[in-house]
Amino acid sequence: MTTQKFKIGDKAAVLDDSFSGVVKSCSNGKVTLETSEGFLLQFDASELIKINNDNDLGSLFKGKSLGAVLREKEEPKKRSFTREKKSRKDDITLEIDLHIEKLVKKKGGMSNYEILTLQSETARRQLDFAIANRIPKVVFIHGVGEGVLKAELEFLFGRYDNIIVSEADYQKYGLGALQVYIKQNPKR
């Protein structure tokens, strides 16, 4: 925006305020206005606009709607960077792979009963650990087979009151996993 040249006696209005006055002096880009109440106020020339008479402010905004003029004068809204605070534990999912190859180095010599017992004991210990440490979600990967381990896990989970058991995410785990949500009691 170019600054206008003001002369003593010109009428001027303040752009960002609701008053006007008569120019009493101007030098070095500073303009002194005398308001109708007799106050002398100094402004930068860029803060003022010449007017022809007291009722001619409307001509300044020809071709613009009132909304457009108000939007020009509005300060931009500051962005809010506050986020909803979530507990880090809400994002934690404990994954337990119960495939026998993941539990022991060598499965040679173990009977099916010993393998199933080790897998179910591991599941019980890990579930107790998750409950004690207030971990809200545990996924037990049992694999796809004859369904013996899955049935054993469902029987084990049936003994707990504070859990909800469902099939785990199919896209991530396929058919071979159960997901356990642990209902948390508030700490007392």
Side-chain angles (χ1 to χ4, degrees):
M1 180 177 194
T2 61
T3 57
Q4 300 176 12
K5 297 285 184 183
F6 290 97
K7 295 181 282 196
I8 296 174
D10 285 344
K11 289 185 179 180
V14 181
L15 284 174
D16 291 328
D17 215 327
S18 62
F19 61 89
S20 59
V22 178
V23 176
K24 289 297 177 184
S25 69
C26 46
S27 64
N28 298 331
K30 297 286 185 187
V31 178
T32 303
L33 283 185
E34 182 180 1
T35 65
S36 58
E37 291 85 21
F39 293 107
L40 293 176
L41 302 172
Q42 191 175 46
F43 297 95
D44 285 332
S46 63
E47 297 176 304
L48 301 174
I49 186 123
K50 277 188 196 179
I51 55 174
N52 295 331
N53 61 43
D54 291 336
N55 298 327
D56 199 22
L57 287 176
S59 67
L60 296 173
F61 306 112
K62 281 185 183 170
K64 291 185 180 180
S65 70
L66 177 62
V69 172
L70 290 175
R71 277 191 299 276
E72 266 181 29
K73 295 297 171 191
E74 199 173 86
E75 285 189 36
K77 292 180 183 173
K78 293 182 179 176
R79 290 179 51 193
S80 173
F81 289 102
T82 57
R83 281 207 230 151
E84 183 180 319
K85 294 183 179 181
K86 290 195 309 186
S87 170
R88 287 183 57 100
K89 286 190 177 183
D90 291 344
D91 296 336
I92 295 173
T93 301
L94 184 61
E95 289 183 2
I96 311 299
D97 192 342
L98 296 174
H99 286 93
I100 193 64
E101 302 84 24
K102 302 287 184 177
L103 300 178
V104 294
K105 290 183 179 180
K106 294 182 182 176
K107 70 172 186 168
M110 291 181 75
S111 69
N112 287 343
Y113 174 78
E114 291 171 326
I115 292 172
L116 184 61
T117 303
L118 177 64
Q119 290 170 320
S120 59
E121 282 299 310
T122 301
R124 185 192 55 74
R125 277 195 325 273
Q126 293 295 335
L127 183 57
D128 289 342
F129 172 83
I131 292 169
N133 289 290
R134 303 179 64 81
I135 298 172
K137 186 166 60 168
V138 184
V139 174
F140 291 95
I141 303 168
H142 54 75
V144 181
E146 295 176 23
V148 177
L149 178 58
K150 182 178 180 182
E152 186 69 26
L153 290 175
E154 288 172 343
F155 177 75
L156 171 70
F157 299 152
R159 297 182 199 167
Y160 290 84
D161 294 335
N162 58 342
I163 65 172
I164 299 170
V165 181
S166 64
E167 294 290 327
D169 181 22
Y170 178 77
Q171 290 180 339
K172 187 171 183 180
Y173 301 104
L175 293 173
L178 290 174
Q179 183 167 275
V180 176
Y181 287 102
I182 301 169
K183 298 178 199 172
Q184 302 291 336
N185 293 329
K187 288 184 179 179
R188 292 183 182 127

